[in-house]
């Protein structure tokens, strides 16, 4: 088994961990978005609340979400360790910096990742902790169900009345877009998947993904915020 | 043309470095190194310590001349070394900042001279072939498909100058190492060490304290031989296959 340890300690092994956990998070974002877009349905949160109840009680989802938390932590910790080692490997910086060498995103993945990490902490604290552990949510019943479910929709709706929370989400999503504009294609190169024939396609999908997914997420707080505004 | 040079001076590896300013008169037809020669002649005649910088072939093939000019290894031109850079690339009255290549694995020896023996140790760990290839005629009798030969040659043109490391914000040597690996991997003569080579060279690269590639691409921009970035992805593939499928 020592070969696995040696591999994971090697530079390319560490990169592989970043790439695989990153791509896992990329897939998760799509699933999470599809679920969350139900918040925008004009049904006062019914579809979303039933979905949220399913997601928090289904044993298979529970196992997958454990994997997700592990994946985020692994990605964040490994990413910070790599950034730290790289800073040491560079040593002294140049007195004059040239902007010709590489785009801003690619050189600031750790900064963007840290912003994302703080955003995730706020996001989880705001919804997930309150949903799971604190009894702050009202219950609601629907004719289709013979039991009551938590009204998560109400909590989300309330949060996005606050302009500061909306701004925090927009900053988080902007960081995500920038992180992915470099990260998406970089993850494939790390896997060794680079070729004249298909790399342009991967890069194009990466750009489209990195812009549309964060925009679609941003639609949720923006829509809720402005629909509150129009009520007054 | 009159120029102001801000040059990094450092007595030895462990002493503190600092910038010193010099005024020079140069002609547009001088190479960058000739301009430094003129400055050094003057410093010597003034009984001052000349600026230590490395150079050898002065025709872009040895990879010795190493310095970062205004933050760019080998200066502003693409696909050239410092010795191939001419003063006509600059305007009269300009200020030029000259620093040594920066990377932990390239410690400064003196002024602009850095120790790149970490590259030698990477080569020693696997950048060779062990089969006997005979005379030139034997080389010609080994058929190699043209496309493959060209790809191997594209990687083989790396002159080991270290600009890739110097340009990389992570101080990574992956462009150099991957070029050396691919050049040998693509040739039938290099197949014998297929597994060992990639594993040993990457181990050595890590041991020397080079950073980890983030696919920034600065190395390729500054490489005087324009070594393609695709070498790095190919090296990763060889490494995965060596680690996961071979003893
Ligand atoms: C939803 C959240 C996230 C997604 C989808 C994501 C995705 C990615 C992807 C695809 C990569 C490219 C991997 C590669 O180059 O091989 C990457 C790189 C990186 N991520 Fe994330 N990431 C997320 C969150 C984070 C967080 C929270 C941090 C840190 C606290 C972080 C830090 C980094 C760093 C430092 C890199 C660069 C690694 C390198 O260049 O070697 N990421 N991320
Ligand atoms: S890859 Fe290019 S920059 Fe790096 S050592 Fe070789 S020739 Fe120099
Ligand atoms: S002196 Fe040989 S490449 Fe410049």
């Amino acid at each position: 088994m020592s070969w696995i340890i040696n591999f994971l300690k090697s530079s390319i092994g560490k990169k592989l961990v970043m790439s695989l956990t990153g791509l896992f998070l990329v897939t998760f974002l799509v699933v999470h978005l599809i679920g969350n877009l139900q918040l925008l349905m004009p049904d006062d949160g019914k579809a979303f609340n039933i979905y949220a109840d399913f997601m928090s009680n289904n044993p298979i989802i529970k196992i997958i979400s454990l994997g997700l938390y592990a994946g985020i932590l692994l990605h964040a910790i490994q990413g910070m360790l790599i950034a730290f080692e790289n800073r040491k490997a560079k040593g002294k910086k140049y007195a004059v910096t040239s902007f010709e060498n590489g785009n801003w995103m690619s050189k600031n993945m750790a900064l963007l990742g840290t912003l994302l990490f703080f955003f995730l902490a706020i996001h989880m604290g705001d919804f997930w902790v309150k949903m799971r552990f604190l009894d702050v949510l009202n219950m609601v019943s629907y004719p289709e169900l013979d039991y009551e479910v938590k009204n998560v929709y109400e909590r989300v709706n309330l949060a996005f009345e606050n302009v500061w929370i909306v701004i925090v989400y927009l900053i988080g999503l902007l960081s995500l877009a920038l992180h992915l504009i470099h990260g998406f294609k970089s993850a494939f190169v790390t896997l060794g998947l680079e070729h004249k024939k298909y790399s342009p396609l991967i890069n194009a999908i990466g750009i489209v993904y990195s812009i549309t997914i964060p925009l679609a997420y941003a639609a949720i707080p923006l829509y809720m915020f402005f629909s509150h505004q129009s009520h007054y | 043309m009159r120029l102001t040079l801000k040059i990094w001076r450092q007595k030895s590896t462990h002493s503190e470095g600092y910038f010193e300013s010099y005024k020079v008169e140069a002609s547009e037809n001088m190479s960058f190194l000739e301009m430094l020669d003129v400055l050094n002649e003057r410093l010597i005649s003034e009984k001052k310590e000349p600026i230590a910088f490395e150079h050898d072939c002065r025709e872009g093939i040895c990879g010795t001349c190493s310095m970062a000019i205004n933050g760019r290894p080998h200066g502003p031109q693409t696909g050239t070394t410092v010795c191939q850079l001419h003063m006509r690339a600059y305007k009269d009255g300009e200020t030029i900042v000259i620093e040594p290549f920066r990377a932990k694995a390239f410690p400064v020896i003196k002024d602009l001279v850095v120790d790149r023996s970490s590259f030698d140790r990477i080569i020693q760990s696997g950048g060779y072939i062990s089969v006997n290839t005979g005379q030139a005629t034997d080389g010609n009798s080994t058929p190699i498909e043209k496309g493959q030969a060209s790809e191997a040659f594209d990687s083989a043109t790396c002159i080991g100058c270290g600009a890739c490391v110097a340009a990389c914000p992570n101080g990574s040597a992956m462009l150099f190492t991957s070029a050396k690996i691919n050049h040998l991997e693509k040739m039938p003569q290099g197949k014998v060490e297929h597994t060992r080579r990639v594993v040993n060279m990457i181990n050595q690269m890590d041991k020397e304290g080079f950073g980890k590639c983030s696919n920034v691409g600065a190395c390729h921009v500054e490489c005087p031989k324009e070594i393609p970035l695709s070498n790095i992805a190919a090296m990763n593939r060889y490494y995965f296959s060596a680690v996961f499928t071979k003893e």
Side-chain angles (χ1 to χ4, degrees):
Chain A
M1 286 309 270
S2 70
W3 68 270
I4 294 195
I5 311 270
N6 285 339
F7 173 69
L8 291 176
K9 284 203 290 200
S10 75
S11 49
I12 297 181
K14 287 178 180 170
K15 288 287 306 167
L16 181 68
V17 171
M18 285 311 285
S19 165
L20 293 178
T21 50
L23 289 176
F24 173 54
L25 295 176
V26 162
T27 2
F28 159 75
L29 285 179
V30 178
V31 180
H32 191 52
L33 176 67
I34 295 171
N36 287 3
L37 282 178
Q38 298 176 73
L39 283 162
L40 299 182
M41 284 175 143
D43 61 355
D44 278 329
K46 182 167 143 191
F48 181 75
N49 282 338
I50 295 176
Y51 158 78
D53 182 64
F54 168 77
M55 291 305 266
S56 44
N57 293 314
N58 185 303
I60 296 172
I61 304 286
K62 275 190 178 161
I63 294 171
I64 295 178
S65 57
L66 283 183
L68 175 68
Y69 306 140
I72 293 179
L73 280 181
L74 193 58
H75 183 85
I77 294 171
Q78 180 81 285
M80 295 320 284
L81 287 177
I82 289 179
F84 195 72
E85 288 168 3
N86 280 348
R87 181 170 292 224
K88 220 172 73 187
K90 180 80 240 182
K92 202 170 168 49
K93 291 224 161 78
Y94 293 107
V96 185
T97 34
S98 151
F99 294 97
E100 249 115 323
N101 319 336
N103 63 39
W104 187 86
M105 281 80 79
S106 68
K107 293 192 240 179
N108 288 283
M109 291 298 275
L111 172 71
L112 292 167
T114 310
L115 283 176
L116 274 173
F117 192 79
F118 283 115
F119 167 71
L120 286 175
I122 295 172
H123 175 59
M124 301 284 279
D126 206 23
F127 295 135
W128 181 76
V129 174
K130 282 187 179 135
M131 186 168 88
R132 286 287 178 84
F133 303 111
L134 308 175
D135 268 335
V136 293
L137 297 183
N138 296 323
M139 301 303 280
V140 41
S141 59
Y142 296 111
E144 289 86 347
L145 299 177
D146 45 14
Y147 53 91
E148 290 189 315
V149 297
K150 288 177 176 169
N151 197 347
V152 189
Y153 172 83
E154 190 186 45
R155 168 73 215 150
V156 176
N157 210 358
L158 193 70
F160 290 145
E161 238 178 274
N162 183 333
V163 66
W164 293 111
I165 296 189
V166 174
I167 289 173
V168 165
Y169 273 72
L170 293 182
I171 294 175
L173 290 166
L174 179 66
S175 317
L176 178 66
L178 295 172
H179 194 76
L180 287 175
I181 283 177
H182 178 69
F184 192 98
K185 61 171 187 244
S186 172
F188 287 91
V189 177
T190 302
L191 291 177
L193 295 173
E194 208 251 29
H195 196 277
K196 290 203 266 294
K197 285 189 177 155
Y198 58 71
S199 288
L201 182 66
I202 293 179
N203 296 350
I205 295 174
I207 298 283
V208 171
Y209 179 100
S210 316
I211 294 171
T212 50
I213 298 284
L215 268 184
Y217 272 108
I220 300 169
L222 286 174
Y223 176 82
M224 288 191 160
F225 179 74
F226 287 110
S227 57
H228 280 296
Q229 299 294 308
S230 60
H231 279 304
Y232 296 124
Chain B
M1 58 200 300
R2 304 179 131 271
L3 297 161
T4 307
L5 306 178
K6 280 179 74 180
I7 303 180
W8 183 260
R9 305 298 314 252
Q10 184 170 338
K11 275 214 165 61
S12 64
T13 305
H14 296 292
S15 60
E16 278 292 314
Y18 56 92
F19 279 105
E20 197 158 326
S21 289
Y22 301 92
K23 296 246 182 269
V24 285
E25 266 297 326
S27 128
E28 292 182 340
N29 301 323
M30 286 176 177
S31 77
F32 201 87
L33 297 185
E34 281 162 349
M35 183 272 298
L36 289 179
D37 290 337
V38 167
L39 172 62
N40 271 350
E41 289 294 330
R42 195 185 83 207
L43 290 177
I44 291 167
S45 71
E46 290 169 357
K47 304 242 177 310
K48 288 186 187 143
E49 184 78 11
I51 291 139
F53 66 92
E54 274 192 284
H55 57 96
D56 187 19
C57 72
R58 298 211 176 194
E59 56 179 10
I61 57 169
C62 73
T64 323
C65 51
S66 54
M67 59 192 80
I69 304 167
N70 289 336
R72 299 191 61 182
H74 293 301
Q77 273 171 195
T78 47
T80 51
T81 51
V82 181
C83 55
Q84 295 171 297
L85 172 66
H86 288 80
M87 296 318 292
R88 50 183 168 269
Y90 295 91
K91 286 194 282 295
D92 187 38
E94 241 182 284
T95 299
I96 306 173
V97 181
I98 310 172
E99 294 171 82
F101 279 1
R102 299 279 187 208
K104 191 72 193 307
F106 286 171
V108 173
I109 298 174
K110 188 176 180 181
D111 299 341
L112 303 175
V113 180
V114 297
D115 178 359
R116 284 170 290 182
S117 55
S118 44
F119 267 17
D120 300 339
R121 290 187 292 273
I122 293 178
I123 295 293
Q124 283 158 9
S125 72
Y128 53 80
I129 58 166
S130 55
V131 292
N132 196 336
T133 54
Q135 303 290 317
T137 40
D138 299 302
N140 289 331
S141 64
T142 310
I144 299 169
E145 197 263 320
K146 171 66 182 147
Q148 186 148 351
S150 302
E151 270 187 53
F153 189 73
D154 281 349
S155 304
T157 52
C158 164
I159 52 177
C161 65
C164 43
V165 176
C168 178
N170 305 323
S172 167
M174 288 205 185
L175 191 63
F176 164 77
T177 310
S178 65
K180 294 303 175 195
I181 290 172
N182 282 322
H183 147 217
L184 298 174
E185 284 290 339
K186 296 239 162 65
M187 299 309 240
Q189 295 89 340
K191 293 286 185 236
V192 184
E193 294 87 3
H194 172 70
T195 313
R196 249 185 301 152
R197 176 182 303 114
V198 63
V199 171
N200 290 345
M201 288 179 79
I202 288 171
N203 280 348
Q204 190 62 35
M205 177 184 82
D206 290 347
K207 222 190 278 170
E208 297 292 344
F210 289 105
K212 290 148 199 71
C213 173
S214 298
N215 303 312
V216 170
C219 51
H220 170 70
V221 175
E222 299 298 13
C223 172
K225 299 298 158 187
E226 302 179 305
I227 298 290
L229 274 180
S230 55
N231 278 293
I232 297 178
M235 172 176 73
N236 290 6
R237 288 197 295 276
Y238 292 135
Y239 190 62
F240 296 143
S241 109
V243 169
F244 289 108
T245 65
K246 306 274 165 34
E247 271 304 308

